[in-house]
Amino acid sequence: MRILLENFTKKFGDLTVIDNMNLEVRDGEMLALLGGSGCGKSTTLFAICGIHRIDGGRILFGDRDVTHTTSQERNVGVVFQSFALYPHMTVEQNIGFPLRLRKEPKEQIARKVGEMAEMVHIEELLQRRPGELSGGQQQRVALARALIRRPSVLLLDEPLANLDAALRLEMRSEIRRIQQETGITAILVTHDQVEAMSMADRIAIMDAGKILQIAEPREMYENPVSDYVARFLGSPPISFLEGRIEDSAFVEPSTGTRIPVDPEIAASHAGRAVRLGIRPEHFQPDGEVPIPGRISFIEIQGRETLFDVELPDGTVIRSIQSANEEARVGQEVCWGINAKKIMIFDENGLKI
Amino acid sequence: MGNSKHLGLILLAPAGVFVILFFLAPVVLTAIFGFTNMSTATGISGGAYVVNESTMRALGERFGERELAGRLLRKSYVIDEAGLQAARESGAEQATIEELREKYLGRNFESRRQIERLLKKLDNRPASIRAIKKIAASFERSVVNIRFDSPEELVAAIEGYGIVLSDAQRQALADVSYTGWVFTTQNFKTMMELPDTWRTMANTLFYVFSTLILFNTGFALVLAILTHYMPEGPAGFFRSVWLLPRITPPVLYVLMWKWLAWDNGFLSRMLEPLGIAPRNWLLDTPANAWTFVILINGFVGASMGMLIFSSAIKAIPQPLFHASEVDGASRWQQIRHIILPQLRWPILFITSYQTLSLLTSFEYILLATDGGPGGATEVWALAAYKKALSNYGGALQYGYGAAMSLVLVVIGVVLSLIYLRLFNFKALTESPKIEQ
Ligand SMILES: Nc1ncnc2c1ncn2[C@@H]1O[C@H](COP(=O)(O)OP(=O)(O)OP(=O)(O)O)[C@@H](O)[C@H]1O
Ligand SMILES: [Mg+2]
């Protein structure tokens, strides 16, 4: 079911946390709400599921205006960051709780719980209590409980934040599999861009209660609207060079390196200060525009190695390479920038 | 290691002394006193063996020795060295004394007249009737009202006057003449026999359980849940208001209730226009008295449960409430499925703690109804207090009071053990909760 937020505003006392947000989640898609801590992701989620009253705007599920309905009436499934399983109930009772509240017959509840348990692979844990489960198992129980009512919407608040690295990887694909199997419209709140990129159909990136950009992961990665978005996506993160546009090229002041730019941009921003964004994969030994520097840091990540190259003025450009065993810290290098892939941002950080 | 162990013991010693002095000793002493017949009459230190009106009445009543009792109460006269000595000091002639010693030493007389007649017939007869009477008085012997330290001394004194006692009589005399307290199980027998006992016990159970269920747990729970769903400000205010009875001095607090209930108090005045005759609502019928007793105690007792339950509800992680809301739970379902299950142990704790405190508390009842009307609201602890420490006649039965208290102590210990088991059971069965 499609979810629409229109001019959604949320205040806590005098503090406006969300100001006039507009957001559409398409039917059946998984949308990631990505942003730093405190930017209002959970607040948005709580408004959608009805835990928070909103101070302005409308919330629509499909064509139905749910702005003034209670959370009991909205039929949303929520997986909370802490899972919020009921400690005094068994796994079976936890999952069946929403149905029990609706006074469905016992056998029917048992059957549905069985089906859900099978889907999230926890059939053998039904008689345990939450305290006796690992983090990943709790996660699955929370997911099953959120889904058992066949909700119109599934909301996930940092569902993986409490899991260790290996489990996170596993649950990432599990959640995605289950969302796709059920075809449910889902919102995934996360501050982890890898999670957002790998799980979501589209990403809405938030900062200070505003949505900066909504796009598919690759599109957002390759075509961010601002340096903020560019910095948020990608691991290792993008590097920036400060400089000016002079004579149809970007000039890096400390080395005098000239990087050719799109003639249109060169024309429109001639003589202006701009910021150049270079992703680590576009700064390589065989790159087309060489720039001299010194290797200041090497991080071996197994299959790949990450290098920090320091320019004379202290600016660092990151490079990620698959195999380069000769390079040493302190070594002077002259690696090249892939000029076709650079991103140029103006003084306000907006992409040109 | 050994050193630190000793140091620990030394540091704990003062605590141990306090525990023994203030916690253990009262219970032990209650138990001991409960098996005595201590009262104002016996005193609380040791007694003596005394022949007097009341002990002799007991001798007659309990052992049928009326005759012996009568004799012991009467005076008798013996001519012995001590008597002769006394006679000399009272001015008798040496010759008279010599004659008495030679002819009559060791003679007994049952009445004064007999010895006076003897004195008149003496060769060395005293000069005047006054002298005769004076000398006769020197030989007067009586055990009445003399305190003997042991039954043997008493018997020796009696036999000294020529009264021969059988073994059974000696035993009986030793029993009845003791004026101090003795160990006995009589208190408990009396307790079982008195119909008042059972009524008081029934009153106590009614009082404890209705106050407990209606207020100390029930109403406390209602308050805690209500305030949970209120905004923080009013909720805090509400809770503070409910604390007021607890922190008001009991005498003032009950006084205000009395003002409310008196025949020219608030209630009577309010109801007068409705055609209801003014009366003392506190004491007019047992039902009304109970209503007030339970209200007075309940309003005081509810605050503790309310605080414990409120903080227990606060300790429930907020996401659980959110989760239950989105799962579709109504307020009532939330209370029933989330709050109450999480409050199981606080409820058990309050129930057990308050049972014990209600069982032993009587100050509010004492101040309000004093057990009235006609003993309708007399509870066990109040009855014990009255028996042992507050009796209009001034005849306080410490022993009986202690025996009654002992019954409470036993009930309390049994309940505590049961409750402790329940709590332990908790520790054994509950695995750590997930971190929220
Ligand atoms: N109940 C509340 N009362 C007052 N302020 C609140 C409340 N809840 C959230 N806020 C504020 O609103 C802002 C957004 O909070 P929110 O929880 O939505 O952040 P978030 O994006 O989920 O962050 P995180 O990633 O840390 O969970 C924060 O500045 C927070 O301090
Ligand atoms: Mg959050």
Side-chain angles (χ1 to χ4, degrees), chain B residues 269-282:
Chain B
R269 281 285 143 83
M270 290 295 289
L271 294 174
E272 217 171 356
L274 304 177
I276 299 168
R279 68 189 79 166
N280 185 350
W281 291 91
L282 196 55

Side-chain angles (χ1 to χ4, degrees), chain B residues 131-186:
Chain B
I132 286 177
K133 290 214 187 286
K134 223 167 162 190
I135 293 170
S138 309
F139 298 103
E140 185 182 304
R141 292 291 178 272
S142 167
V143 285
V144 175
N145 287 335
I146 297 174
R147 298 172 67 84
F148 294 93
D149 286 339
S150 71
E152 288 78 23
E153 285 173 42
L154 173 63
V155 169
I158 292 171
E159 297 202 320
Y161 313 149
I163 301 174
V164 183
L165 300 170
S166 70
D167 279 350
Q169 283 175 324
R170 279 177 207 200
Q171 188 57 50
L173 198 57
D175 274 2
V176 298
S177 66
Y178 189 65
T179 61
W181 54 270
V182 292
F183 283 107
T184 170
T185 53
Q186 189 57 40

